[in-house]
Amino acid sequence: MNPKISFKDVSRTFDVAGRPIFKALDRFSLDIEDGEFITVVGPSGCGKSTAMNIAAGLLQPSSGQVVVDGVEVKGPGPERGVIFQQYALFPWLTVRENVEFGLRLQNIPKQKRREIADHFIDLVGLKDFAHALPKMLSGGMKQRCAIARAYAVNPKILLMDEPFGALDALTRVQLQDQLLQTWSKERRTVMFITHDVDEAVYLANRVVVMAARPGRLDRIIDVGLPYPRTEEIRLSPEFATLRNEVWRAVYHPAAAA
Amino acid sequence: MSEAATEPLPQAGAVKSSWRFNSMIGLNIVALVFGLGFWQLVTSLGVVGLPTPVQVFNQAIASISSGLLVSDALASLARVLTGFILGIAVAVPVGFLMGWYPTARGLIEPYIQFFRTIPPLAIIPLAIVTMGIGEVPKIFVIFLAAFLTSVVATFQGVISVDRTLINAARVLGARDATIFRRVVIPASTPFIMVGVRIGLGSSWATVVAAELIAAQSGLGFRMQQGQLYYDLPVIFVSLITIGILGLIMDRIVIAADRRLTAWQEKA
Ligand SMILES: Nc1ncnc2c1ncn2[C@@H]1O[C@H](COP(=O)(O)OP(=O)(O)OP(=O)(O)O)[C@@H](O)[C@H]1O
Ligand SMILES: [Mg+2]
């Protein structure tokens, strides 16, 4: 089977005046299978967001390419949903209007749009806040609204850049479980960036560890724990072993090739 | 995820702020009464050679009943609103153009930066010489005042639109035209409203000055007449009217701003 997303020798440099050309991402190659949940961890500045933005079509690679469903990525597309760390809700729109934003662009009739939006608003537990503006929501609620907005256009791929980074531990765990639930129901392909080693292991089929200077792939760790993931799994010795392995990989990367 | 409903909404200190509001109004009234009393005191004692509040009040009644005050105020308002609305109507698209297309910015910005350093009032002599003494030069100068403040504000608004919001729209399938309409315009509204408010203030300041120099009607013209005939109450009535009208217009803009940008997170 062909991979759903394929990074092929993707490099990206940044040319900042007065500094040597900076390799944010160096010959990054990775195949993500259809329906797979990949998490990406690595130190700050190792190119995680750069890699994701290139896959999202928001950033051009300096060389190499990202191929989605056999087609080279040239720009953003509705089959690739993106969830940003900073929520990126439109502050002048209500929760429902935010969720409907993408549907509107597809010229879905009002009635149908309503239905779809309400379904996803309900799914993320924001039913009572459908008419609220983002400023009235807590951080966790904003992130859930962003998730509903991304889900609503039914993307086959979800690209998530540290979506739970700013949340408290409890909200975070709840959102993780909810994400896994919907993922196992609707089998999307997910690329999920995080700083949190626990989160990386808990969610993933495979954990991609990156290293910095230059930003590159360090290694890929197979998780191999069964789904649904439960608290029991989170507290199991197998989980601890994997977490230690990822931890060591992040803090002791192999030397750059 | 049904625990959502139990998350509390941030509660504004509604009771406390309404108390604060009422006591503020109270203090305002006290200050007003004191001010009037002081004015009455110093003028009736002859400390300064100014009219008393009562004289000014009587003049106001006289001006209103003769219809002069209303026609003056209308003349000034008509000039301000025409110039101001024209100024905003041109400034907003030009500001958007500058913010959106770097080429447009490069071409237009030097002129705007240059003309911004010239007070609109300084243009009056030129405007009178080239456009005569009719309505056109006055409206032009007001137009300039409103345009220059609003164009910069709009431009600032466009260039400070959060990139992630634009990206969020793009990944949901929005193209440039949609991004402009659905993201850039609403996101820059708060900036534009700041420009509108400042623009209205400077239009109002400009109209009075323009009328002082060359006009046959308007509040500025009336003050000029008062100066000519040493009629201090007339000058006072005009001044107070200018103040009150300016205040009312500013309040209207503030109310519009509140409505249009209620979505903003205020710290
Ligand atoms: N537009 C840009 N101009 C210049 N340098 C950039 C730009 N974007 C990213 N970089 C640099 O590229 C490197 C990788 O950035 P990137 O955002 O991908 O890191 P990251 O792994 O996502 O880090 P974090 O975990 O802190 O989000 C960083 O060193 C950053 O300074
Ligand atoms: Mg990042």
Side-chain angles (χ1 to χ4, degrees):
Chain A
M1 201 173 69
N2 284 326
K4 187 80 177 167
I5 309 172
S6 183
F7 289 86
K8 299 186 181 202
D9 269 323
V10 179
S11 299
R12 170 72 204 208
T13 55
F14 285 107
D15 199 356
V16 180
R19 278 202 294 159
I21 289 180
F22 183 80
K23 278 189 179 172
L25 197 61
D26 188 31
R27 286 164 292 154
F28 182 84
S29 290
L30 172 71
D31 284 345
I32 305 177
E33 301 305 324
D34 192 8
E36 200 177 13
F37 202 126
I38 289 278
T39 54
V40 182
V41 287
S44 184
C46 70
K48 302 182 294 291
S49 299
T50 303
M52 202 200 79
N53 286 332
I54 292 172
L58 295 171
L59 191 68
Q60 300 293 325
S62 306
S63 68
Q65 56 178 356
V66 177
V67 174
V68 170
D69 282 328
V71 182
E72 185 182 349
V73 168
K74 294 280 190 204
E79 81 287 353
R80 277 162 286 139
V82 182
I83 293 168
F84 300 88
Q85 175 165 15
Q86 314 86 328
Y87 316 131
L89 296 178
F90 303 115
W92 51 88
L93 300 181
T94 63
V95 166
R96 178 185 277 136
E97 289 164 342
N98 263 285
V99 176
E100 285 186 4
F101 191 93
L103 302 169
R104 249 192 139 109
L105 297 174
Q106 300 178 358
N107 292 322
I108 293 172
K110 196 170 171 188
Q111 194 57 43
K112 183 81 185 149
R113 217 159 64 202
R114 233 324 115 91
E115 250 169 57
I116 299 173
D118 283 345
H119 169 74
F120 287 102
I121 290 169
D122 205 13
L123 185 78
V124 297
L126 288 179
K127 202 174 182 175
D128 296 336
F129 293 88
H131 297 288
L133 286 168
K135 71 170 179 180
M136 298 161 74
L137 306 179
S138 69
M141 293 158 86
K142 281 184 188 149
Q143 196 54 281
R144 279 183 271 153
C145 179
I147 291 171
R149 183 175 68 181
Y151 281 179
V153 290
N154 195 24
K156 290 289 160 273
I157 295 169
L158 279 179
L159 304 169
M160 309 176 77
D161 193 353
E162 301 192 35
F164 306 152
L167 306 179
D168 65 281
L170 184 62
T171 312
R172 196 174 179 132
V173 169
Q174 287 166 342
L175 286 183
Q176 288 168 0
D177 284 335
Q178 190 206 3
L179 178 64
L180 283 183
Q181 255 174 46
T182 41
W183 169 74
S184 46
K185 253 188 281 172
E186 312 194 8
R187 277 292 154 178
R188 294 185 166 97
T189 308
V190 182
M191 179 175 176
F192 184 108
I193 297 174
T194 175
H195 261 120
D196 184 314
V197 172
D198 266 56
E199 181 169 77
V201 174
Y202 186 69
L203 296 173
N205 292 116
R206 290 188 293 159
V207 179
V208 171
V209 181
M210 292 180 66
R213 270 169 300 236
R216 63 191 187 277
L217 186 103
D218 180 61
R219 76 190 79 175
I220 299 175
I221 295 169
D222 266 303
V223 174
L225 297 170
Y227 292 94
R229 303 267 160 98
T230 57
E231 200 177 338
E232 209 173 309
I233 291 181
R234 205 192 272 276
L235 300 172
S236 69
E238 292 85 350
F239 187 89
T241 312
L242 281 161
R243 189 181 54 206
N244 293 347
E245 192 183 339
V246 174
W247 190 270
R248 268 196 303 275
V250 173
Y251 290 97
H252 307 285
Chain B
M1 299 293 304
S2 51
E3 88 291 344
T6 62
E7 283 185 44
L9 272 173
Q11 288 279 338
V15 178
K16 203 173 157 194
S17 74
S18 96
W19 177 84
R20 211 186 289 146
F21 182 72
N22 284 331
S23 71
M24 263 302 166
I25 297 257
L27 286 175
N28 294 163
I29 291 172
V30 170
L32 214 62
V33 171
F34 259 93
L36 282 172
F38 181 72
W39 178 8
Q40 175 68 44
L41 192 73
V42 292
T43 46
S44 58
L45 288 177
V47 180
V48 289
L50 293 177
T52 65
V54 178
Q55 286 171 308
V56 172
F57 183 77
N58 290 337
Q59 178 61 51
I61 299 294
S63 301
I64 290 171
S65 51
S66 73
L68 267 186
L69 185 61
V70 175
S71 67
D72 282 337
L74 286 179
S76 296
L77 276 176
R79 288 178 191 132
V80 165
L81 293 181
T82 315
F84 170 72
I85 289 167
L86 284 175
I88 301 289
V90 178
V92 170
V94 171
F96 275 128
L97 218 61
M98 286 170 65
W100 200 239
Y101 298 106
T103 323
R105 178 182 178 180
L107 291 173
I108 303 171
E109 201 176 11
Y111 288 99
I112 292 194
Q113 292 303 351
F114 178 70
F115 282 106
R116 235 154 63 94
T117 61
I118 305 174
L121 288 180
I123 305 287
I124 292 178
L126 176 68
I128 290 175
V129 171
T130 53
M131 301 179 200
I133 53 161
E135 290 299 295
V136 179
K138 285 166 219 109
I139 290 174
F140 175 76
V141 173
I142 295 156
F143 161 84
L144 213 58
F147 172 79
L148 290 172
T149 49
S150 308
V151 76
V152 176
T154 308
F155 162 68
Q156 288 294 346
V158 176
I159 57 172
S160 46
V161 175
D162 188 353
R163 286 299 310 177
T164 32
L165 290 184
I166 293 180
N167 283 340
R170 287 182 71 200
V171 299
L172 288 166
R175 308 234 162 261
D176 272 6
T178 317
I179 291 174
F180 188 74
R181 199 156 38 92
R182 295 259 166 86
V183 181
V184 175
I185 292 181
S188 30
T189 308
F191 286 82
I192 296 174
M193 291 310 291
V194 171
V196 165
R197 195 170 165 205
I198 300 171
L200 188 60
S202 63
S203 302
W204 193 227
T206 307
V207 76
V208 174
E211 289 171 350
L212 282 174
I213 297 174
Q216 299 308 314
S217 62
L219 295 164
F221 165 74
R222 196 60 54 203
M223 283 200 290
Q224 170 70 17
Q225 296 290 301
Q227 180 194 335
L228 220 56
Y229 300 107
Y230 206 74
D231 191 347
L232 282 174
V234 163
I235 296 182
F236 265 71
V237 168
S238 305
L239 273 180
I240 291 169
T241 311
I242 289 166
I244 291 173
L245 289 178
L247 199 67
I248 291 173
M249 289 194 288
D250 192 50
R251 291 292 132 153
I252 292 173
V253 174
I254 290 179
D257 181 44
R258 286 242 174 86
R259 281 189 73 99
L260 287 171
T261 65
W263 47 266
Q264 271 190 304
E265 306 222 20
K266 301 251 162 64

